[in-house]
Structures are given as structure tokens and as C-alpha cells.
Amino acid sequence: MAANEGDEATVSLVDVLEEDEELENEASAVLAGSDSEKCSYPEGYVNRQALYACSTCTPKGGKPAGVCLACSYKCHEGHDLFELYTKRNFRCDCGNSKFGAMECKLYSDKDQLNTENKYSHNFFGLYCTCNRPYPDPEDTVEDEMIQCIVCEDWLHGRHLGSPVPESVELQEMVCESCLNKAPFLRIYAAHLAGPLIEIQSRDSVYYKKLKAITNIRANANGVPSCKRRHQEMEGDLKSSPPLECRLKEWTASETVESGAVFWPSAWRTKLCSCVSCKKSYNDAGVSFLLDESDTVLAYENKGKTTEQEQAGAAEGRDPLMSALNTLGRVQQLEIIHGYNDMKTELKDFLQRFAAEGKVVTPEDIRQFFEQQQSRKRRRANAGQYYCS
């Protein structure tokens, strides 16, 4: 319920709860299986995880480094961090030789370097072929940024070398530079790519999820988007491993010559998996395209599954009752009576507003609890004269 024009902006409790729930859902979709308590280093090169770069510890001009979610909280709290969304096959660098004398607070026994990690200018807060920050205070052109699923860089739509489909949400994009390194993908693009897809866009779903993480981090420390339901387009795109090389059937046909390419969901299932093609993928450094768990969709589903399992384990455990069980009988009764009194008084307080058709403002709630504290202090002061 909105206030009249000129009045203090107000929101209902339902609005607050729904917004909070939406932020949590969006953040969990981005953070997925990333652990916020334990450093991911012992897990080795993690298939996909949320990553951060600390410009405080590894500023521009030095060596690029990435830290896991837990280290971003525990080891780099209060530092200037670049949120890198997710990266594949990466091992946490926190506390290694790139950080000088600093040691990781969560897992100090680390190699000096993680030689298999791949870095880009993203680790210094720069993006696209224009090598600019995001948001860019000097860029006055409104443009979305879209992530390439191969190099995992973010590029401006106007720098892709091809028109961005009108559909707001597309699934996967491969930039022109990566297509040049894996030219066989241009052959597939002529047959598989199309408009029925969803983009990883900084101005649409994925970046909004990333901003949701920022908000939750600020709230928690002070602590990864619109809601979107993913659904794999199965059926025609699904097929069994080919008996013969599928790519050879298409080699002589039309190819996409230039620009980035946008791909439909489940397009990876149409890639040939014969021995010769697998070698080509490996030589081009794109073997992960055959790994179903590499997709962002699989990563998000992993997070949702983990969250559901945690919710199921916690079901039936009331936090208040758990706390009460640790107290003595007299303390339990005092707390229960106090809670019931406050609940009754809050109900009566809110009913007055409902009866008069008034909006409850933050100031009203603040005054209610101030009155509760005042009554509590008066009772405590009165009771001290009867203590022996």
C-alpha cells in the first residue's frame, strides 16, 4: 500500500518479506554450491564457482588473482572486490605468493601458484574488447553487457560484431574472438544457432542476480536480477552419440563468417562427440562444451538442490524452541510470558491502524518498540526494590 503523494514512502510487511525472499533466491541461484564458510582450495580446480578479485590485495599492475566466496567474506572483508560472477576450473588463490605476506585465514597450506588457473582483464575490473570498467562513468551509451561462455569475458552488445537478438533473455553466447580460435563452431552455428535463446546479460538476469549478492553482502556485513525459471529445451535437440562424424556432413555447407553467435538451450547436445571432434575441442581448449555440468543452468540447479536439502534438514526445528531448551524452567516461563505479552500488544497496536484505515510507517513500528523498551526498564527499576 503506497502513501499519498508527498507523504513518507511506506511499504507493507508483505512487501518487505517478498523482496527479502526474492533477493535470497536470486543470490542462491548465482552462488549455487559455493560454500560461504570453507575455502574451496582443498577441492582443487572447481568445475564452476563464484569468484572475486581483490583490488586491495592485488591491484592493477600486479599479478591477477581470484578468491573463493568464503575467502571474500573471511579474508577480504572491507576490501575493494570485483565480483566475477562465476568462472570454470579455478582454484582459490587467496594467500598464495600473489598476496605477499598475507595468509589465507581459512586454509593456509597452499601452493605458491595455481598454474592451471586462467586469468583475464576481468580480474582487474575491466571488460570487453574496449577494456573498460563496468559500470563505466565515461560511457554515456546505454548498452547491455553479455558474457561469452568460452572466454567468460563480458562484452558490450555494440562490440559483438553482430546484431543482438531482440529477445531480452538468451541462453549462451560465443564471442567472435573465441569463434576464431574454434572455427568449427561457425559451422555448427549455421545449423544450430537461432533466436530462441537467453543471454547472460549484465543488464538482465545474471547481472541482477549478481547485484542481489552485493545487497546481501552489504546487509550481512553491515554482508551472486529478476527471477527467471530455466528450462532445458529438449526433444529435437537431444540425440544419441553419432556413429559417424556429424561435422563432416555439414563442413561443405553454409557457415557463419563473422561476429558473435547466440545459441539455443541444449545446443551442446548436438555437438559431435566422435574421436576426431573431441581432439579438435581439446586443441581449441573447449572440451568443456561436452560437459553438461559446465553450463550455468547446471550450476544454478546444483545450488537449488543444495538449498532444498538444507531446508529439508532444518524442517521442524524451531529456532525459538531450540533456544528455550538451553534455559532453565523459570527462564523459559519468563521468556514465553514476555513473548506472548509482546505479541498481544503488537496485535492490538496494528489493529488500531487497520480499524482507522491508516498505513503503518517505519516510524510507527519504531515508536512501538521504544515503548516496549521503556516499559521493560520501568518494570526492572520497580523490581529492584524487592530484591534481597
Side-chain angles (χ1 to χ4, degrees):
M1 185 175 186
N4 295 329
E5 187 174 352
D7 293 342
E8 181 183 359
T10 59
V11 293
S12 69
L13 182 58
V14 174
D15 292 332
V16 174
L17 293 176
E18 287 181 348
E19 181 180 359
D20 184 62
E21 181 181 5
E22 181 177 349
L23 284 173
E24 289 186 8
N25 290 338
E26 290 163 355
S28 65
V30 175
L31 298 179
S34 299
D35 194 324
S36 62
E37 298 294 332
K38 298 178 181 178
C39 176
S40 65
Y41 181 88
E43 300 175 35
Y45 292 88
V46 180
N47 189 46
R48 183 171 293 282
Q49 64 175 313
L51 282 182
Y52 300 82
C54 181
S55 64
T56 302
C57 298
T58 55
K60 187 176 180 180
K63 296 181 180 179
V67 302
C68 68
L69 175 65
C71 287
S72 75
Y73 287 144
K74 308 298 182 182
C75 305
H76 302 272
E77 182 179 3
H79 293 189
D80 292 328
L81 298 175
F82 296 122
E83 294 170 342
L84 303 179
Y85 187 53
T86 70
K87 298 288 184 184
R88 68 169 61 87
N89 300 329
F90 198 94
R91 197 172 198 180
C92 180
D93 285 322
C94 181
N96 68 14
S97 61
K98 295 183 177 182
F99 290 80
M102 175 195 162
E103 287 191 359
C104 177
K105 298 177 182 178
L106 299 178
Y107 194 90
S108 59
D109 186 17
K110 296 182 176 180
D111 292 339
Q112 291 295 301
L113 294 173
N114 295 313
T115 56
E116 295 181 33
N117 283 352
K118 293 183 178 180
Y119 306 93
S120 69
H121 59 174
N122 291 176
F123 288 79
F124 294 118
L126 301 174
Y127 308 91
C128 191
T129 55
C130 61
N131 204 42
R132 296 293 300 171
Y134 187 91
D136 187 349
E138 299 179 8
D139 187 0
T140 59
V141 179
E142 291 188 7
D143 196 1
E144 63 186 355
M145 296 194 76
I146 304 165
Q147 187 183 41
C148 172
I149 64 161
V150 176
C151 65
E152 299 185 303
D153 193 6
W154 295 83
L155 297 94
H156 293 99
R158 64 185 185 272
H159 294 156
L160 291 177
S162 62
V164 177
E166 293 182 1
S167 177
V168 176
E169 308 253 319
L170 300 164
Q171 178 65 27
E172 294 188 318
M173 181 274 288
V174 178
C175 71
E176 184 171 23
S177 176
C178 290
L179 287 171
N180 291 338
K181 297 174 184 176
F184 51 84
L185 288 179
R186 292 194 181 278
I187 300 174
Y188 282 111
H191 297 269
L192 303 180
L196 302 177
I197 42 186
E198 295 181 63
I199 288 179
Q200 298 176 15
S201 166
R202 278 186 176 268
D203 288 340
S204 61
V205 173
Y206 291 104
Y207 194 63
K208 288 176 182 176
K209 288 179 180 177
L210 205 60
K211 296 310 291 180
I213 298 176
T214 304
N215 294 336
I216 288 181
R217 174 189 292 277
N219 292 335
N221 288 347
V223 174
S225 165
C226 303
K227 282 188 177 179
R228 174 166 73 89
R229 300 216 177 256
H230 297 282
Q231 185 175 13
E232 287 284 6
M233 296 173 58
E234 301 179 349
D236 293 339
L237 289 179
K238 291 279 187 178
S239 62
S240 302
L243 298 176
E244 297 182 0
C245 180
R246 182 182 295 120
L247 192 60
K248 287 183 179 179
E249 301 173 7
W250 293 342
T251 300
S253 63
E254 181 183 358
T255 64
V256 175
E257 296 299 332
S258 63
V261 171
F262 299 90
W263 306 82
S265 296
W267 70 278
R268 301 190 191 200
T269 63
K270 292 292 287 183
L271 296 177
C272 181
S273 57
C274 72
V275 175
S276 177
C277 282
K278 284 184 175 181
K279 183 178 185 304
S280 297
Y281 303 151
N282 185 65
D283 292 343
V286 295
S287 297
F288 54 81
L289 291 178
L290 296 179
D291 181 3
E292 293 184 3
S293 66
D294 174 77
T295 65
V296 173
L297 176 61
Y299 174 76
E300 291 188 347
N301 286 339
K302 174 186 175 184
K304 292 175 183 177
T305 300
T306 301
E307 190 175 46
Q308 290 171 356
E309 291 175 351
Q310 292 174 345
E315 187 176 357
R317 293 206 303 263
D318 188 301
L320 177 59
M321 294 308 297
S322 297
L324 285 175
N325 288 335
T326 65
L327 303 176
R329 179 66 175 171
V330 174
Q331 290 175 309
Q332 288 179 356
L333 291 175
E334 289 177 347
I335 289 177
I336 291 174
H337 285 310
Y339 172 76
N340 288 333
D341 289 344
M342 186 194 72
K343 184 172 68 172
T344 300
E345 290 175 7
L346 180 59
K347 182 179 179 181
D348 293 341
F349 176 76
L350 295 176
Q351 282 180 339
R352 292 200 298 270
F353 284 85
E356 298 174 9
K358 294 182 178 179
V359 175
V360 182
T361 67
E363 181 61 28
D364 293 325
I365 298 298
R366 193 156 42 245
Q367 289 180 0
F368 171 80
F369 284 105
E370 285 178 356
Q371 292 173 0
Q372 291 291 308
Q373 288 294 328
S374 178
R375 291 196 191 102
K376 182 178 178 181
R377 284 193 294 269
R378 287 200 297 269
R379 286 195 297 268
N381 291 337
Q384 67 182 345
Y385 297 108
Y386 299 95
C387 294
S388 56

